[in-house]
Amino acid sequence: MIDEFEGGGTRFHNRHLNNFLDAKPAKGQVLISPASINHEGLSVTSGTRYILVGFTSIDDKDPISEQPTGLSVFASWLSLSWIQSRFKEGYHASHTRLEGNELGVQNPVGVSDNWSDNKYVRSLCRDITTYITTLSDFWSQHLHISLVSKENVNAYLDALDKADKEQSEILQQVSSSERPRGRSWWFGGQQIDVNVDGTLASVWASRSNAGEDTFKKENL
C-alpha cells in the first residue's frame, strides 16, 4: 500500500451480535482472516490505495496426485473453518458439474454419475456449510490483533526468508512426486476446484490456457 490515500480498510461483520469491526492495516502490514467471516472493503475517499490479495487453501490430500499432505485431523476434520470451506467447495464443484462445465466438457445439464452430485449429498453439503457458518458466528471470537510488533518486523521477515531458502534448496533436489509430506507447494493447486472428498473436480480455463507445466514451476 502507499501513503497518499484516505479511507479504505476492511469491515468484518459479526452476524451473531449484529455489529462490526474495521481493520485498517498500516503501510506494509498484512491482514489475514478466515474467508467465512462476513466482510467487505471500505471506500477510499481520496488518493489511490494498492493492495495485494491472496487466498490460502490447506488440503489433507494433494488434489492432483491424491497423495496425503500430512495435515492432522485436528487441523482438518476437527476444524470448523476447514470443514466449512471443504463442503462449500464440494457444493460449488457439484453445481458446476451439473451445469455442464466440468473440465470444459459440455455435459447434458443435470446429468452426472459422480456420487457427490446426488441431490441428497448436494443438499447435505449446502446444509453443513450453512450450519457450520452459523455455529462459527456463535462460537468464534471476533477480534483484531497484531501478530508481529513493529520492533520484530525485520526479524520476522528474515526468518521467513531463511525458511523459504531452506525449503527451496530441498525441493530443488527432489522431483515433484518425491516432495516431502507437509511441505507447501504454492502454485501446484492454483486455479482448480475440488470435490468434497478433496479430489480434483475441474481446472479453470486460465490454467489450461497457461499450460500445466507453468504451475509445476517453483519460482513463478
Side-chain angles (χ1 to χ4, degrees):
M1 296 184 293
I2 60 175
D3 294 320
E4 294 77 20
F5 71 89
E6 295 181 359
T10 305
R11 174 165 295 176
F12 294 94
H13 294 270
N14 188 323
R15 287 170 286 211
H16 171 46
L17 299 178
N18 196 30
N19 58 17
F20 59 83
L21 182 149
D22 291 343
K24 297 185 177 182
K27 178 182 178 181
Q29 287 187 317
V30 176
L31 178 63
I32 303 175
S33 68
S36 57
I37 297 179
N38 193 24
H39 59 283
E40 62 177 326
L42 299 176
S43 298
V44 175
T45 56
S46 66
T48 303
R49 177 176 181 250
Y50 296 94
I51 61 174
L52 297 176
V53 180
F55 297 88
T56 300
S57 177
I58 303 176
D59 299 309
D60 58 340
K61 68 171 66 173
D62 186 312
I64 298 176
S65 69
E66 299 188 12
Q67 295 298 311
T69 61
L71 185 68
S72 73
V73 67
F74 294 99
S76 54
W77 293 107
L78 294 181
S79 168
L80 288 181
S81 59
W82 191 92
I83 297 174
Q84 190 264 1
S85 178
R86 171 56 65 85
F87 280 92
K88 181 179 179 180
E89 288 186 6
Y91 178 80
H92 172 75
S94 178
H95 177 76
T96 300
R97 196 158 36 237
L98 291 177
E99 287 294 320
N101 295 324
E102 182 186 19
L103 299 176
V105 178
Q106 296 300 315
N107 299 316
V109 175
V111 177
S112 173
D113 57 1
N114 190 296
W115 66 269
S116 61
D117 295 338
N118 177 280
K119 64 179 181 179
Y120 298 109
V121 176
R122 294 180 68 226
S123 296
L124 180 63
C125 289
R126 179 198 60 203
D127 293 343
I128 288 177
T129 300
T130 302
Y131 176 75
I132 291 181
T133 299
T134 303
L135 193 63
S136 297
D137 286 344
F138 276 91
W139 281 3
S140 301
Q141 295 186 14
H142 287 62
L143 50 85
H144 178 210
I145 60 175
S146 179
L147 298 179
V148 181
S149 65
K150 292 182 179 180
E151 295 77 14
N152 295 324
V153 167
N154 289 333
Y156 180 74
L157 293 176
D158 289 342
L160 289 179
D161 288 340
K162 180 180 179 181
D164 180 69
K165 181 179 180 181
E166 292 175 349
Q167 175 171 297
S168 297
E169 291 175 350
I170 293 175
L171 294 178
Q172 288 175 0
Q173 299 173 14
V174 298
S175 64
S176 58
S177 61
E178 299 173 332
R179 220 167 268 124
R181 290 177 62 189
R183 289 287 181 179
S184 299
W185 184 234
W186 298 110
F187 304 104
Q190 295 294 313
Q191 301 185 12
I192 63 174
D193 293 317
V194 298
N195 294 307
V196 68
D197 60 356
T199 56
L200 179 66
S202 60
V203 176
W204 296 10
S206 55
R207 177 181 176 118
S208 299
N209 294 337
E212 283 293 304
D213 289 342
T214 300
F215 292 85
K216 294 178 181 179
K217 297 177 182 179
E218 182 64 22
N219 299 311
L220 293 184

